[in-house]
Amino acid sequence: MATRKTGKKSSPSARKHRAAEPVPPADAPRQPARPGEPSARLQELRRKIDAVDQRLVRLLNERASLVVEVGKAKRSDGTPIYAPHREAEVLRKVLASNQGPLSERSLEGIYRELMSGSFALEQPLRIGFVGPPGSQSNDAAVKQFGSSVDYEDLHEIVGVFTEVRRGHVNYGLVPIENSLGGGIMETLDAFKANAHQVSIYGEVQIAIHHALLANCQPRQVRRIHSKPEIFQQCRNWLSTQYPGVELMPSASSARAAQIAADECRKALEIGAEPGSAAIGTALAGRIYGLNVLFPRIEDDPNILTRFVIIARQQARPTGDDKTSIMFTTEDKPGALATVLGIFQEAGINLSHIDKRPQGRERWTYTFFVDALGHREDPAMAAAIEKVKTHCRELFILGSYPRSRRIL
Ligand SMILES: C=C(O[C@@H]1C=C(C(=O)O)C=C[C@H]1O)C(=O)O
């Protein structure tokens, strides 16, 4: 008969207990924990979690060692480090094998951070965004590329294009379309000036959330800083929660957070009550040292901004891609309708169309169209060739994996 290390014979009830799952069932009689101490069940569960973590760390490092090898192989044949087509494939396989209880969203978040760690192992990546730090673009970049890459605030959308083109950053993230305000003019214009040198390598859809940030109690807030558009997007919330408060316009929500943090500090220095707040991202709160008093105060919880990742490389096909093209039609009746008809005939779905003044000739426009499919798909390649014959000029801005998820 098995004995304990003490040498004592085990009782039948003890044997039964040892043979069963080490974690006591939830309905087992529980030893009352001493106040402030975790119960025996909680301790046992935590011991199991610790053991799983040990296995996970080994597995993560097994994966990381393979990533290091991938990095070497890429460097020897000049393959780009960041491979959105491969990431899409990894995520698709991982999510398909998920049986819960972890949600898809949580698993995807974990994998995004894991892949961010991969970059650091293959080659440190530098990502350009439009600041100031804590801006929506900074938030989007961190959600997409995680915390293991370097970020550079390039101040202006056009600056992101310039620095990608010059190779000072590996990739850049710029907003292209907002579900409330439509196309982002500065980005479309920057494509007109840089279409030869950079291309769209990926897209990211970000849910826009606004938080009330401050260093005081909610009832102490007297003045709120933010961008005028953001006040508009939180109008109902502000008029019910803070009807008499002073609204101070600023150039960006991140700048607003910086001003509110400065004003709070100064108030505290002179012994006054801090009453300044800002509406911005939770990331801005972390950067400028403000607490989130209320998260998600936007009136419409479904505001999205689509960002594109720009690069000096072309993304490979994944089977679920988008192609963005930019063209100027010939100056004749029905020219745009002819172009759109070509996609229709080819059975190619268009997901977005926008326009900007062409710039050189008055009342002439440059059109931006997103078509579903990759430029290497024979139907897409043939349609684009045909479209070209009806255009003065046409550029393919890029083919890249279509993003269906919202970060
Ligand atoms: C490891 C690779 O490099 C990067 C990291 C990935 C990963 O961690 O799975 C996937 C794609 C790339 O962005 C790869 O290309 O396979």
Side-chain angles (χ1 to χ4, degrees), residues 63 67 70 74 81-83 86-87 90 115 118-119 122:
R63 186 183 200 280
V67 168
V70 167
K74 283 180 181 171
I81 296 297
Y82 170 44
R86 171 64 185 154
E87 292 200 355
V90 169
M115 294 197 264
S118 299
F119 300 141
E122 291 180 56

Side-chain angles (χ1 to χ4, degrees), residues 40-58:
R41 176 168 164 75
L42 193 54
Q43 287 186 33
E44 189 56 43
L45 287 167
R46 286 179 175 163
R47 266 195 293 278
K48 284 204 97 180
I49 289 180
D50 288 345
V52 170
D53 285 342
Q54 297 298 312
R55 274 165 36 216
L56 264 179
V57 171
R58 275 197 299 278

Side-chain angles (χ1 to χ4, degrees), residues 1 21 60 156 163 177 208 279 311 334 379-380 387:
M1 174 175 285
E21 258 296 295
L60 288 174
E156 307 259 347
E163 295 309 278
E177 180 188 9
I208 300 298
I279 304 179
M380 179 71 80
V387 165

Side-chain angles (χ1 to χ4, degrees), residues 319-342:
D320 187 15
D321 304 288
K322 256 186 199 175
T323 295
S324 296
I325 57 170
M326 176 180 90
F327 56 86
T328 308
T329 54
E330 285 174 341
D331 186 14
K332 60 181 190 195
L336 179 62
T338 307
V339 166
L340 301 182
I342 293 170

